[in-house]
Each structure stands twice: as structure tokens, then as C-alpha cells.
Amino acid sequence: TGTAICGVSLLSNFDSTPGNRVVVSLCEPFRNRICSFNLSMVDSAMDSVYDSCVVADPDPAVSTSAVWVSDPAVSCAAFEATSNCTGFSTPPALSPPGISGTIHVDLENTVDRITSTLALTVDDSTLLYVGYTDRMDTSIHFVGRYHITSTSTNLQLGDQTVVAETTSAVRHLQWVEGMEYIYVATEEEVFRIPLEQCSTFNDCDSCAGDSNPLCGWCTVESKCSRSSECTNSSQPMRWVQETAECIASVADPATFVLDNPQNITVTVTPGLPPQLDGESYECYFETAGGESFFTDAVEIANSTQYMCDLTQTTIPSFQGASLVTDFSFRSTAIGIPFATEEGAVTVYDCPEANSCSECLQTQNACGWCIFNKRCSGTS
């Protein structure tokens, strides 16, 4: 049939009883459902089939070892084969009387025919890859990926993500622990699919919104990665997979005049990750030209508001009347800007002006100080 039996990683999700083994296969006669069969029940039913080959009326005392005898003192008449054994060479796998599978994956509404399956567990996430024929156009074949969660009795599938499309049936899917690719064999070719492509996402929203459960936004390092590639990923808000957990910052006021020392308050939604031992946050400002300056970020409201005291830092000199900067936070333990607000704060250097009209021509945060007759900030 070209179908593959799902791996042990898939079985463990719903086989919680120690020693209670199960086998997973397609559910006959359906070709778009995946079932599990309890091996203890299968073994018991097969024993009954063997017994029925030995005596017409199965006796519980007769064991399967009675299908082969060598003691000449035993009467062979008791073990004459009955009609139950006609053409019997091997047990009818998964089809003894009374055995039925439990449906765990039902793709009847989306798949015409499953041609291969593969389950694997990576970074504590269980993935199901399914090679199948399209329901609407049977000349097109796909490999779909599902994220599996489980209850004690059933598997729950997330939405399907198509990871490959081919023109011939997918006959085999292969993965070995430690490999970064799924290998796909169709009737015409062999190719590979990466487990993840986290690094292709450049912002939290696109990363956390991706369907691949292996990817998440590494907050303090400002990158999309596997959890294993993110420092302290197990700590709260350090590695997030929900867009609602993506951090946004807003600086206020959005202007700063060099001769007017003041604080800038930054509001953070939903908040910064709790600081770890020996770690603190900085307010980090960077220009389009790569020049930067920073100061301590002082927490003033339970991880959601911070104060940046720009009087305690040296702002690089610049040409012209203003300097536009991007604002970010930065962890002293990591040193990478994150939660960036582009163009957040504009720094003004008020010009030397001899009159009010000359000063106000700049049309920025500078104003004419009437008492000392100079162009300056409000102070």
C-alpha cells in the first residue's frame, strides 16, 4: 500500500498505561483515517483464531502450542484441522473477530488517500507528517504537517500546514533523531524538507504567528529560533509563541532638546521579562548611521513602565538641527537591542539665533526664551 506505520513518539501520546502497547495503522476500509489497535486485545483474539484451528469448539485450556505436536501418545484426531483453518497460513493481521481500532486522526474531509505517515517528537513538540493525495485533484500529492496535542484517550490535531507538493504519490517519510530534515520518497524522486525555518522570520508577530511549534520569538535576543537556541527560554516571556506576548514599547515624550535635561518614560506592552539574577535593563538609542547612546532603564511600574534618564548619558554630536533615533531595551546579560520602536525619539540641538523669528523658523521643539533672549528648550 505504500503506507508507513506511525512512530513510537506518536503512540506515547495516548498510550499512557505501562506495558499496554499499541500499533498505529490506517483504518480499513478507510484510507484517510489513522487508528490505534491495542496489542493485548490483538494477541488475545489471535490466540482464539489459533485455537479454532485446533478444535472446532475452542477450549480455553488449549494453548497455541497445540498447533504443533510431536508426542506419538497424543491422539491426532483431536487436532484435525477444521474449516476455520482453510487457507490459513498467517494470522489475519489486525482483523481477528472483535477487534476494532480507535480513530485518532480523521482527515476524511481534506484528504482522498493517505500514502505515508511519520510522527516525531522534537523539543517537546509532537509533529505528524502525512503524505496524501488531494481530495479534489487526485493527480496532486502533498506532505502536510500537523502539531499534535493529546488527551488521555485521543489526539488533537492543529491546522494543517502544507510543507511540500509533488506530482507523484509520497511513499515514504523518514527522520532520524538529531537530523534537521525530513526525507521524502515519492514514486519519482527523493528530496528533503527542513524541520523548521525559524530564522526566516525577522519580527515577533510573524514568528509567533507561524504554525510550526518548533519556532518561537526569543525576546531578549530579538530573534526567531528554536527554544534550545534561546538563552533562558524556559523563563517567563523569554521565548514566546503567541502574538499577544510580543513586546511593544512607546517612548514619551518623543522629543528631547540637548539643553533641556529630562526623563523619557517608556510604556511596555505586555511588559518586559522578569529580570534574572545579575541582569538589568538599559534604554538604548541608535541612529540610522549606527551611532548609539544608552542609560539605565529604571522600572517604575511592574515591568510595564521604565524611566530613561538622558541627563546621565553623553549624546553623540551631530550635524543639523535634529537627530532621529530608534529606541530599544537591552539586557546587560545579553547586549542585544530588543523591543525596538523605530524613530521613537528625536534629539534637537537648538540653533544659535539672534531673534525670535530666526529661532522659530526651525519649527521643532526649540523655542525663543524671552528673558535671556536665546533659542532653547523649555528650560
Side-chain angles (χ1 to χ4, degrees), residues 41 45 95-100:
M41 296 176 62
S95 60
I99 293 297
S100 60

Side-chain angles (χ1 to χ4, degrees), residues 281-285 293-297 308-310 312-313:
Y281 290 132
E282 296 172 333
C283 300
Y284 181 80
F285 300 84
F293 54 95
F294 61 91
T295 187
D296 292 338
C308 308
D309 185 0
L310 291 183
Q312 303 301 313
T313 187

Side-chain angles (χ1 to χ4, degrees), residues 99-114:
I99 293 297
S100 60
T102 300
I103 298 175
H104 291 284
V105 177
D106 188 348
L107 305 178
E108 183 178 8
N109 294 329
T110 58
V111 171
D112 176 70
R113 176 186 177 91
I114 295 174

Side-chain angles (χ1 to χ4, degrees), residues 28 30 41 76 251 273 282 308 350 379:
E28 296 289 358
F30 306 101
M41 296 176 62
C76 290
E282 296 172 333
C308 308
C350 296
S379 64

